[in-house]
Amino acid sequence: MSKDDDSFRAELEEVSAGESELLHDLGKGALAGLIATIPVALLAVIKQVMGFIPQIDLIGILGGLTGLGWAGTGWVLLFVVGAVLGIAFASLDAHVEDASEAGEMVRGALFGFLLWVALMLMFIPLYSNSGFGVIFAGSVLVTNLIFGMVMGVAYERMKPEHLD
């Protein structure tokens, strides 16, 4: 029996046990997104401690979006966004997997790159007159690529063929 047959059989067993394949994959995506948020959070802490681009405080920006006064709001929102992006990755991955033989890490990096493009379309107009636009864009790109690759690897490791 091949690896693909084992994977298909494991997915079939999950579905026959009453678990929706879509919900199962979205749950794996949310968990992979949470795992991938950990290195992003570590980078945010290291950046603040080292004083690198102090004008851009990821946690402060996220906390400010909510309007709540609690200092931990930015951290909570960071992980919520990570989980939501993981769900988006899982829902897209089901369609891309059929069209591409690239591994999950490559698909995760592509997801991170596309996320970066979307963020740049939103934020570059805000930071274009500041003196750190290129540094901002580069640091966001690196962060998104790390997030995407870690998410892709974590998502792949949760596939049935890796759980045995």
Side-chain angles (χ1 to χ4, degrees), residues 82-104:
V84 169
L85 289 172
I87 290 170
F89 176 78
S91 64
L92 292 172
D93 186 68
H95 301 292
V96 174
E97 189 172 330
D98 296 335
S100 168
E101 293 296 320
E104 296 293 347

Side-chain angles (χ1 to χ4, degrees), residues 27 40 146 159:
V40 172
I146 290 170
K159 286 187 173 183

Side-chain angles (χ1 to χ4, degrees), residues 24-159:
H24 179 73
D25 288 347
L26 296 181
K28 288 190 297 188
L31 182 57
L34 288 171
I35 291 168
T37 304
I38 294 170
V40 172
L42 290 172
L43 287 171
V45 168
I46 291 169
K47 183 194 87 53
Q48 285 303 110
V49 168
M50 293 180 63
F52 184 66
I53 318 174
Q55 301 90 337
I56 301 173
D57 176 18
L58 174 64
I59 305 306
I61 291 170
L62 290 173
L65 290 174
T66 65
L68 300 174
W70 180 51
T73 305
W75 287 104
V76 170
L77 191 55
L78 177 68
F79 282 91
V80 168
V81 168
V84 169
L85 289 172
I87 290 170
F89 176 78
S91 64
L92 292 172
D93 186 68
H95 301 292
V96 174
E97 189 172 330
D98 296 335
S100 168
E101 293 296 320
E104 296 293 347
M105 187 169 86
V106 173
R107 286 195 284 265
L110 177 60
F111 184 85
F113 176 76
L114 294 174
L115 178 61
W116 175 78
V117 169
L119 290 171
M120 290 303 98
L121 290 173
M122 291 186 291
F123 291 119
I124 284 296
L126 298 175
Y127 293 106
S128 62
N129 293 334
S130 64
F132 55 90
V134 173
I135 295 171
F136 169 73
S139 64
V140 172
L141 175 61
V142 168
T143 303
N144 281 306
L145 290 175
I146 290 170
F147 174 80
M149 289 187 294
V150 170
M151 183 173 52
V153 168
Y155 185 74
E156 182 175 33
R157 298 302 301 166
M158 288 185 257
K159 286 187 173 183

Side-chain angles (χ1 to χ4, degrees), residues 3 73 78 95 152 161 163-164:
K3 186 176 179 179
T73 305
L78 177 68
H95 301 292
E161 59 267 21
L163 296 177
D164 293 334

